[in-house]
Amino acid sequence: MTTATTTPNSAAKQSSGAPVIQMIGVSKWYTPEFQVLDACSTSVQKGEVVVVCGPSGSGKSTLIKCVNALEPFQQGDIFVEGVQVNDRATNLPKLRSRIGMVFQNFELFPHLTIMENLTLAQRKVLKRGKDEADAKARKLLQRVGLSDQAPKYPGQLSGGQQQRVAIARALAMDPVAMLFDEPTSALDPEMVSEVLDVMVELAREGMTMMVVTHEMGFARKVANRVIFMDKGAIVEDVPTEEFFGSPRSERAQLFLSKILSH
Amino acid sequence: MDKIVDWFSIFWQESAEGTGTYAYTLLLGLQLTLEISVIAAVVAFVMGSIVGVCRTLPSPLVRRLSGAYVEFFRNIPLLVQLFLWYFVLPELLPRDIGMWLKQVPHSNFYTAAFGLGLFTSSRVAVQLSAAITSMPRGQKMAATALGLTTRQSYTNVLLPMAYRIVFPPLTSELLNLIKNSSVALTIGVAELTQSARNMDSYTFQTFQAFTAATLIYLVLNITITAVMRRIEHGVAVPGMLVAK
C-alpha cells in the first residue's frame, strides 16, 4: 500500500463499454450574470480514478456535486451508468444511493454512533435487515481500521478517524462510484496520510473514483487522469503523466508551479 | 405562633362559592392552569414543528405560507388573539356553525388552550427553523447523498439534532406558556390567577391570596426547569458540549 509507484493503477484502465459517469456540456449559473460551470464535458470509465484540481472558486466541488444532483444545473446532461441525472423522471434517492460521496467536513451524523452512521442509509434506503447492515458495517470498519470505535460517537473521534468512517459509510451502500470533495482539506497535517492510505487502497482495488483534491502526490500515485479546471471550465483533461510532464495550458503550468514548489 | 396560624387559617375556611375550602379553590385553579398548559404545549410543539420545518423547505410557496403563519401569530397580542377566537370568530363563521361553536361546553377553556398553543407555536417554529438552518449545510447534503429522501433526512438526521439545539429555549417557552395561561381569565376560565382573585374578592385577604398564587407558580416552574434540565442532559450527545 505504501510502496511508491509512479504509474497509475492498471486495474481497469480505459475499459471499454459505457462510462460510469458521463458529463456532456454541463453549465450552471447561480444568477444570470454569475456562471459557475461552463460547458463541462468529461467521462469516467469503470475502475478509473480521475483527480479534479484547480484554483479555489474554479467550480471543482460544484462539478462533482452535479454528478449526484446535489447541485442542480441548467444546461447539458449527466449520465450515471446510463441513467440521466437531470431527467425529472429519474428516482434521485435511488441514483444517489449508488454513488458514494465523501465531504470535506466529514458530515457524520453527530447524534448517532459510528455503527448507526454506517447502518442508517443501508436500512432506510436499501431496506437491509439489521443483521445484514451491522455485518456490512463491521466489515467496513475493520477495513478502515476502526473496528473498536463502533459504539462511540463522531464527536469522540479525531478528524482523520471521522473521515475514514465517512468513507466506510459511503462504501456500505455498495456504490458503483465514489466522489470525494476535498477529503483531506479539513484535516490536521498528520492525519492526512491515514485518509489518503484508505483512498489509495480503494483506488488499487478498482473503485471508480472522482476526487477533488490538492494532494498532487495522491494524483501521481493512483490517478489515471487529471482534470484541471479554471473559471468553471475544464481546461485540461489528460492522462496523469502528461499533466505532470507537460501541461498544455499556461494556467495549469502556473498552478502546478505554485503548488509543487513547496 | 398564633399569628402565623391565624394568617394561614383563611385557606381552610369554607369558600363563598360553596365548593370547599379556599385552598381547594386554588388547587382547582392550578388544575385548570395545568390542563390548559398541557394542551397548549402539545399544540405549540406539534404546530411549531410542522411550521418550523416548512420554513426550511426549498419550496417558495411552502416557505411563504409558513412565514405568513408565523407573522400572524406572533405579531398580535395574545390577549387580542384570545378575544379574536372567542368573540369574533363565531360571528365571522356561517350562522349555524357560529351558533354551534358558542354552545360547545367549556368553549372558553378550549379557546384558551388552543389560542395559547397557536400563539406559542409561532415562537417554537421560529426557534426550530433557526436551529435547522444553523446546522452545517453539509449534514443535509450528506443525508441526501446517501439516498435518504427529504422526509427521511429530516426525521433521522436534521430534527434529532435540531431539537437538541432548541431544547434550552423550548424550556423558556414552556415556562412562558404556563405564565401566559393566566390570560385565560379574561374569557372566564377560573385558572390559578382567577382563583386567587376570587379568593381575594370574597375575603379581602389580598396578601394571602396572591402570595399563595405566587408560590404555586414559582414551585411549578422551578420544578419544570429542573425536570427539563435533567432531560437535556439525558439526551446530550456524547462528545459534544452541553452547558452544565
Side-chain angles (χ1 to χ4, degrees), chain B residues 81-104 107 111:
Chain B
Q81 287 191 30
L82 285 196
F83 289 169
L84 211 57
W85 301 136
Y86 194 59
F87 300 118
V88 181
L89 184 68
E91 307 300 329
L92 291 177
L93 292 171
R95 218 183 129 74
D96 293 346
I97 303 176
M99 284 305 283
W100 173 83
L101 208 58
K102 284 181 193 172
Q103 283 156 14
V104 172
S107 62
T111 305

Side-chain angles (χ1 to χ4, degrees), chain A residues 129-172:
Chain A
K130 186 177 185 329
D131 293 342
E132 190 190 355
D134 284 0
K136 181 95 193 170
R138 248 180 252 115
K139 213 172 98 193
L140 285 163
L141 280 180
Q142 192 176 6
R143 181 173 169 178
V144 298
L146 294 170
S147 297
D148 48 339
Q149 310 291 338
K152 288 195 184 167
Y153 285 82
Q156 299 170 315
L157 269 58
S158 74
Q161 290 174 323
Q162 287 191 52
Q163 194 61 300
R164 280 146 67 199
V165 171
I167 294 172
R169 177 175 71 178
L171 290 174

Side-chain angles (χ1 to χ4, degrees), chain A residues 16-216:
Chain A
S16 52
V20 179
I21 300 167
Q22 187 170 23
M23 308 180 118
I24 305 162
V26 174
S27 292
K28 177 182 170 72
W29 289 262
Y30 279 134
T31 66
E33 298 81 34
F34 182 29
Q35 188 169 9
V36 271
L37 292 178
D38 185 3
C40 297
S41 298
T42 190
S43 64
V44 183
Q45 301 292 328
K46 191 170 182 337
E48 236 187 340
V49 177
V50 175
V51 160
V52 184
C53 63
S56 59
S58 59
K60 314 172 295 262
S61 289
T62 311
L63 183 76
I64 70 161
K65 282 183 182 136
C66 285
V67 174
N68 57 356
L70 285 185
E71 293 275 4
F73 51 93
Q74 286 80 32
Q75 245 175 48
D77 293 302
I78 298 180
F79 297 89
V80 173
E81 286 203 308
V83 179
Q84 192 174 351
V85 174
N86 53 317
D87 181 350
R88 287 188 74 97
T90 299
N91 180 346
L92 279 180
K94 193 172 167 215
L95 181 131
R96 287 176 179 131
S97 72
R98 297 168 54 73
I99 311 168
M101 184 148 200
V102 175
F103 297 85
Q104 184 173 355
N105 292 311
F106 332 132
E107 305 301 351
L108 296 179
F109 306 135
H111 62 293
L112 300 178
T113 62
I114 300 306
M115 195 65 180
E116 290 164 342
N117 263 280
L118 265 72
T119 54
L120 175 69
Q122 288 192 66
R123 302 195 56 189
K124 300 282 175 191
V125 181
L126 303 180
K127 309 288 181 205
R128 285 181 183 156
K130 186 177 185 329
D131 293 342
E132 190 190 355
D134 284 0
K136 181 95 193 170
R138 248 180 252 115
K139 213 172 98 193
L140 285 163
L141 280 180
Q142 192 176 6
R143 181 173 169 178
V144 298
L146 294 170
S147 297
D148 48 339
Q149 310 291 338
K152 288 195 184 167
Y153 285 82
Q156 299 170 315
L157 269 58
S158 74
Q161 290 174 323
Q162 287 191 52
Q163 194 61 300
R164 280 146 67 199
V165 171
I167 294 172
R169 177 175 71 178
L171 290 174
M173 305 296 282
D174 293 320
V176 294
M178 289 278 286
L179 307 173
F180 292 83
D181 186 11
E182 305 209 28
T184 57
S185 298
L187 293 172
D188 285 343
E190 56 180 343
M191 290 170 183
V192 169
S193 65
E194 64 185 76
V195 171
L196 285 181
D197 285 348
V198 171
M199 291 170 61
V200 167
E201 198 180 347
L202 206 55
R204 297 233 164 101
E205 282 168 12
M207 175 58 77
T208 309
M209 292 162 69
M210 211 168 168
V211 186
V212 174
T213 186
H214 297 299
E215 296 291 338
M216 289 301 124

